[in-house]
Amino acid sequence: MQISAVSKDINEWSGSVLIAGILEGTIESHINLFKTIIKDTYLSKRFNDSKFKGKKNQRLSIELMEGTIKKVIFVGLGEAETLRINDLRKATSICTRQVLGFERKLGIFFPWDIFETSSAACAVGEAVRLSCIKDHRFKSESTEHTQIDEVELIGLSTKTTNSAIAEINPICEGVKFARELVSAPPNVLTPYQMAKEAEKLATNYDLDLKILDKKECEEKGMGAYLAVAKGSDLEPNFIHLKYSPNTVKKKVVLIGKGLTFDSGGYNLKVGASQIEKMKYDMGGSASVLGTARTIAELKPTNIEVHFIVAACENMINGSALHPGDIIKASNGKTIEVNNTDAEGRLTLADALVYASKLKPDAIVDLATLTGACVIALGDEIAGLWTDNDQLSEQLTKAAGKAGEGIWRMPMQDSYKSGIKSSIADLQNTGPRPGGSITAALFLKEFVNSSIPWAHIDIAGTCWTEKDRDINPKGATGYGVRTLINWIKELSLNAN
Ligand code: BES
Ligand code: MN
Ligand code: ZN
């Protein structure tokens, strides 16, 4: 898909579908503006008949009989004062979806100038691309659909926007990669296959790669991670990718929960716990690897980025973890496993210890960690836990820019009593109330406390059950664009 800014007049544009965003109260001027494309008396009548006033979410499609343009979709944007870039994303994806499968060339005409134009252009370009992605990999017959292959953002000054537009493709490829990893079934995307995907990234984009096998993890004393893995016939793979620029001024680590399947273990997921969905329990690692792909292509300066995934499955066999087992993590802490379904935190524990040893300036982990977070925040907002206000601000800003929902949650230290064990240093689950908080507190036990660290629970956001905004039904790739924004900002400010 070729996305470009064109500074030409709307009346000189040619293509199959024109999407025009209309602010409330600007109908009259648009009737005049569009008059060589649609006869003014006719357009005025159509606006009148349909009561189209440019209110947010109003839409009016007009089919044209003459000329190259087949259809104009007017989409209401509401009042300028309340209009946000995220509204442009939403409007773009609704209109894109309306023509998906039928049209090749779109033109998008928005009131760009009320925004910082390069951000608006980038957001809208991404919205078109990301709304179009369909995963056909597992269909036996390829369904031939007309692809949108050209998108022109009309009325933009190309001078200021071209460099931002050039980033759309690498960013969307990262999101697409993350979505594909998540939607791949657990018999395809195994821990080994995840390592293979990391290997492909490393060779294609010149990243450093280290894969620790089971034996090497044993040598490092990763007893928590390995305890989860041992119930599966598939061996664990601890993945460590590194992007390094020419000069390094800052170093960060991204960690993703990488359970390629979570059956719950002996605390088997039964009833309404949706075991059949648990291929997406590697959503965190997908976002981290998706980010790796984009970062490796954008090559931000000054910042070294490590990408870590302790990949494995949570299964049941004769040597699987028993409920009640006591295991030891690589920082020496002992854990009584009072629930084998709280496995993500066990794998993350050793990943966090490993990350801390790299002495980074910050660690961020993403994990489909708790059902409680889904109950608290739903599927549009991820939970953010950190003791570091600056890191919280940075990530909240990065997510806001990406249009990804995030909300800081309390790291309530007094709830630590919930994960106290009478026989070991810790137990892996606390009481049901505040279950996402005790999960975050558990993770905190494995981070070197002098390193700023944030935990993002994406259990709700990594998947959507229906087409929602720029996310078609299925895997969302949540987090990739937030992490990219964060790293880009760190890169700019590193000194
Ligand atoms: N992967 C799940 C969390 C999850 C649940 C993600 C629903 C997406 C949707 C995690 O491993 C898990 O099973 N957590 C348990 C923790 C409990 C045993 C304390 C949960 O949330 O039920
Ligand atoms: Mn689980
Ligand atoms: Zn899990």
Side-chain angles (χ1 to χ4, degrees), residues 41-51 60-62:
T41 48
Y42 179 66
L43 184 54
S44 166
K45 182 173 173 344
R46 291 295 304 269
F47 278 150
N48 259 325
D49 289 352
S50 62
K51 299 196 168 60
L60 172 65
S61 298
I62 298 183

Side-chain angles (χ1 to χ4, degrees), residues 249-372:
K249 292 186 177 157
K250 277 253 157 65
K251 177 157 79 171
V252 298
V253 183
L254 305 179
I255 302 176
K257 173 174 170 182
L259 266 292
T260 60
F261 186 70
D262 176 15
S263 72
Y266 276 101
N267 290 100
L268 188 63
K269 289 192 180 291
V270 290
S273 53
Q274 298 202 300
I275 191 171
E276 72 286 357
K277 297 263 172 62
M278 284 303 146
K279 67 175 183 183
Y280 69 49
D281 213 15
M282 35 58 69
S285 61
S287 301
V288 164
L289 295 180
T291 304
R293 190 196 186 287
T294 302
I295 290 300
E297 209 172 332
L298 295 182
K299 299 194 194 318
T301 54
N302 298 327
I303 180 141
E304 181 174 289
V305 190
H306 295 255
F307 308 91
I308 291 174
V309 181
C312 66
E313 301 189 294
N314 187 20
M315 298 289 280
I316 297 174
N317 63 18
S319 47
L321 200 52
H322 312 86
D325 277 357
I326 296 175
I327 57 180
K328 190 186 251 182
S330 43
N331 66 346
K333 290 196 182 174
T334 57
I335 305 157
E336 180 186 9
V337 179
N338 58 346
N339 193 322
T340 61
D341 198 11
E343 83 300 335
R345 61 197 77 181
L346 299 176
T347 65
L348 290 167
D350 283 322
L352 288 163
V353 172
Y354 181 97
S356 295
K357 287 181 183 154
L358 298 169
K359 298 197 185 337
D361 297 292
I363 301 174
V364 176
D365 78 74
L366 273 80
T368 48
L369 203 63
T370 63

Side-chain angles (χ1 to χ4, degrees), residues 21-27 30 53-54 75-80 83 111 114:
I22 310 286
L23 291 166
E24 212 172 328
T26 64
I27 297 284
H30 279 89
K53 300 210 162 50
V75 56
L77 299 175
E79 288 165 3
L83 185 64
I114 57 180

